[in-house]
Short mmCIF file of all heavy atoms in Angstrom, two decimals:
data_model
loop_
_atom_site.label_atom_id
_atom_site.label_comp_id
_atom_site.label_asym_id
_atom_site.label_seq_id
_atom_site.Cartn_x
_atom_site.Cartn_y
_atom_site.Cartn_z
N ALA A 594 18.58 -7.11 -27.63
CA ALA A 594 18.63 -6.07 -26.66
C ALA A 594 20.01 -5.30 -26.76
O ALA A 594 20.04 -4.08 -26.62
CB ALA A 594 18.40 -6.57 -25.22
N LYS A 595 21.04 -6.08 -26.95
CA LYS A 595 22.34 -5.48 -27.06
C LYS A 595 22.40 -4.56 -28.29
O LYS A 595 22.98 -3.44 -28.26
CB LYS A 595 23.42 -6.53 -27.10
CG LYS A 595 23.67 -7.27 -25.77
CD LYS A 595 24.76 -8.28 -25.87
CE LYS A 595 25.08 -8.88 -24.52
NZ LYS A 595 26.30 -9.78 -24.53
N ILE A 596 21.85 -5.04 -29.42
CA ILE A 596 21.85 -4.26 -30.66
C ILE A 596 21.08 -2.96 -30.41
O ILE A 596 21.53 -1.88 -30.83
CB ILE A 596 21.16 -5.09 -31.73
CG1 ILE A 596 22.03 -6.27 -32.13
CG2 ILE A 596 20.96 -4.23 -32.96
CD1 ILE A 596 21.41 -7.19 -33.14
N VAL A 597 19.97 -3.07 -29.71
CA VAL A 597 19.17 -1.80 -29.45
C VAL A 597 19.97 -0.91 -28.59
O VAL A 597 20.05 0.36 -28.82
CB VAL A 597 17.85 -2.20 -28.76
CG1 VAL A 597 17.15 -0.93 -28.18
CG2 VAL A 597 16.92 -3.03 -29.74
N PHE A 598 20.62 -1.42 -27.50
CA PHE A 598 21.42 -0.57 -26.67
C PHE A 598 22.46 0.20 -27.47
O PHE A 598 22.68 1.39 -27.30
CB PHE A 598 22.13 -1.45 -25.61
CG PHE A 598 22.81 -0.77 -24.55
CD1 PHE A 598 22.28 -0.47 -23.25
CD2 PHE A 598 24.13 -0.25 -24.71
CE1 PHE A 598 22.90 0.17 -22.30
CE2 PHE A 598 24.83 0.37 -23.66
CZ PHE A 598 24.21 0.60 -22.52
N GLU A 599 23.19 -0.41 -28.30
CA GLU A 599 24.20 0.17 -29.10
C GLU A 599 23.66 1.22 -30.13
O GLU A 599 24.21 2.27 -30.37
CB GLU A 599 25.13 -0.84 -29.91
CG GLU A 599 25.88 -1.68 -28.88
CD GLU A 599 27.00 -2.41 -29.56
OE1 GLU A 599 27.99 -1.80 -29.94
OE2 GLU A 599 26.92 -3.68 -29.74
N ARG A 600 22.52 0.84 -30.71
CA ARG A 600 21.86 1.72 -31.75
C ARG A 600 21.30 2.96 -31.01
O ARG A 600 21.24 4.00 -31.62
CB ARG A 600 20.86 1.00 -32.46
CG ARG A 600 21.45 0.03 -33.49
CD ARG A 600 20.42 -0.72 -34.43
NE ARG A 600 21.07 -1.54 -35.31
CZ ARG A 600 20.35 -2.34 -36.16
NH1 ARG A 600 19.15 -2.32 -36.14
NH2 ARG A 600 21.10 -3.15 -36.98
N GLU A 601 20.85 2.88 -29.73
CA GLU A 601 20.39 4.05 -29.07
C GLU A 601 21.55 4.97 -28.77
O GLU A 601 21.42 6.19 -28.87
CB GLU A 601 19.79 3.60 -27.69
CG GLU A 601 18.38 2.99 -27.88
CD GLU A 601 17.82 2.56 -26.48
OE1 GLU A 601 18.57 2.37 -25.53
OE2 GLU A 601 16.60 2.42 -26.44
N ALA A 602 22.71 4.32 -28.48
CA ALA A 602 23.95 5.17 -28.27
C ALA A 602 24.32 5.94 -29.59
O ALA A 602 24.66 7.11 -29.57
CB ALA A 602 25.04 4.33 -27.80
N GLU A 603 24.19 5.21 -30.69
CA GLU A 603 24.56 5.85 -32.00
C GLU A 603 23.56 6.93 -32.34
O GLU A 603 23.94 7.91 -32.90
CB GLU A 603 24.56 4.81 -33.05
CG GLU A 603 25.68 3.71 -32.91
CD GLU A 603 25.53 2.53 -33.71
OE1 GLU A 603 24.47 2.39 -34.47
OE2 GLU A 603 26.39 1.63 -33.68
N ALA A 604 22.24 6.70 -31.96
CA ALA A 604 21.30 7.76 -32.26
C ALA A 604 21.43 9.00 -31.48
O ALA A 604 21.09 10.11 -31.94
CB ALA A 604 19.83 7.09 -32.04
N GLN A 605 22.02 8.90 -30.35
CA GLN A 605 22.26 10.09 -29.44
C GLN A 605 23.47 10.84 -29.87
O GLN A 605 23.67 12.00 -29.47
CB GLN A 605 22.32 9.63 -27.96
CG GLN A 605 21.03 9.05 -27.37
CD GLN A 605 21.33 8.71 -25.94
OE1 GLN A 605 21.94 9.44 -25.17
NE2 GLN A 605 20.87 7.56 -25.56
N LEU A 606 24.37 10.19 -30.53
CA LEU A 606 25.69 10.74 -30.79
C LEU A 606 25.69 12.12 -31.40
O LEU A 606 26.35 13.06 -30.97
CB LEU A 606 26.52 9.77 -31.61
CG LEU A 606 27.98 10.10 -31.72
CD1 LEU A 606 28.69 10.19 -30.36
CD2 LEU A 606 28.73 9.01 -32.59
N PRO A 607 24.92 12.38 -32.51
CA PRO A 607 24.96 13.80 -33.07
C PRO A 607 24.55 14.80 -32.08
O PRO A 607 25.19 15.94 -32.06
CB PRO A 607 23.90 13.65 -34.27
CG PRO A 607 23.84 12.15 -34.65
CD PRO A 607 24.10 11.42 -33.31
N MET A 608 23.54 14.56 -31.22
CA MET A 608 23.09 15.56 -30.29
C MET A 608 24.15 15.74 -29.26
O MET A 608 24.45 16.96 -28.86
CB MET A 608 21.77 15.05 -29.67
CG MET A 608 21.26 15.93 -28.55
SD MET A 608 21.92 15.46 -26.87
CE MET A 608 21.12 13.89 -26.69
N LEU A 609 24.80 14.77 -28.82
CA LEU A 609 25.82 14.91 -27.77
C LEU A 609 27.01 15.63 -28.29
O LEU A 609 27.68 16.46 -27.61
CB LEU A 609 26.29 13.53 -27.24
CG LEU A 609 25.14 12.76 -26.47
CD1 LEU A 609 25.69 11.36 -26.16
CD2 LEU A 609 24.76 13.50 -25.22
N VAL A 610 27.45 15.37 -29.56
CA VAL A 610 28.49 16.02 -30.12
C VAL A 610 28.22 17.56 -30.33
O VAL A 610 29.10 18.39 -30.09
CB VAL A 610 28.91 15.41 -31.52
CG1 VAL A 610 29.85 16.32 -32.30
CG2 VAL A 610 29.45 14.03 -31.29
N ARG A 611 26.98 17.81 -30.67
CA ARG A 611 26.64 19.26 -30.94
C ARG A 611 26.65 20.08 -29.72
O ARG A 611 27.09 21.20 -29.66
CB ARG A 611 25.26 19.26 -31.65
CG ARG A 611 24.78 20.68 -31.99
CD ARG A 611 23.45 20.62 -32.72
NE ARG A 611 23.59 19.97 -34.04
CZ ARG A 611 22.99 18.83 -34.42
NH1 ARG A 611 22.20 18.27 -33.53
NH2 ARG A 611 23.13 18.33 -35.61
N ARG A 612 26.13 19.39 -28.59
CA ARG A 612 26.02 20.25 -27.37
C ARG A 612 27.33 20.26 -26.51
O ARG A 612 27.44 21.08 -25.66
CB ARG A 612 24.81 19.83 -26.57
CG ARG A 612 25.04 18.62 -25.78
CD ARG A 612 23.75 18.32 -24.91
NE ARG A 612 24.09 17.26 -23.87
CZ ARG A 612 23.18 16.73 -23.14
NH1 ARG A 612 21.94 17.08 -23.31
NH2 ARG A 612 23.50 15.83 -22.31
N ARG A 613 28.14 19.35 -26.65
CA ARG A 613 29.38 19.12 -26.03
C ARG A 613 29.28 19.03 -24.46
O ARG A 613 28.91 20.00 -23.80
CB ARG A 613 30.32 20.27 -26.33
CG ARG A 613 31.83 20.00 -26.09
CD ARG A 613 32.76 21.07 -26.57
NE ARG A 613 34.10 20.71 -26.35
CZ ARG A 613 35.11 21.53 -26.36
NH1 ARG A 613 34.94 22.82 -26.70
NH2 ARG A 613 36.38 21.18 -26.09
N LEU A 614 29.50 17.89 -23.95
CA LEU A 614 29.46 17.65 -22.55
C LEU A 614 30.49 18.48 -21.80
O LEU A 614 31.59 18.60 -22.28
CB LEU A 614 29.64 16.21 -22.30
CG LEU A 614 28.51 15.22 -22.81
CD1 LEU A 614 28.96 13.78 -22.59
CD2 LEU A 614 27.14 15.53 -22.18
N ASP A 615 30.10 18.92 -20.52
CA ASP A 615 31.04 19.76 -19.78
C ASP A 615 31.26 19.21 -18.40
O ASP A 615 30.39 19.09 -17.61
CB ASP A 615 30.45 21.23 -19.70
CG ASP A 615 31.43 22.17 -19.12
OD1 ASP A 615 32.52 21.72 -18.78
OD2 ASP A 615 31.11 23.41 -19.08
#
Side-chain angles (χ1 to χ4, degrees):
K595 287 182 175 183
I596 292 172
V597 170
F598 188 95
E599 294 199 72
R600 288 187 178 174
E601 285 178 341
E603 292 165 1
Q605 294 179 45
L606 190 56
M608 177 269 293
L609 295 175
V610 168
R611 183 176 293 116
R612 79 177 192 190
R613 201 174 180 194
L614 297 172
D615 189 355

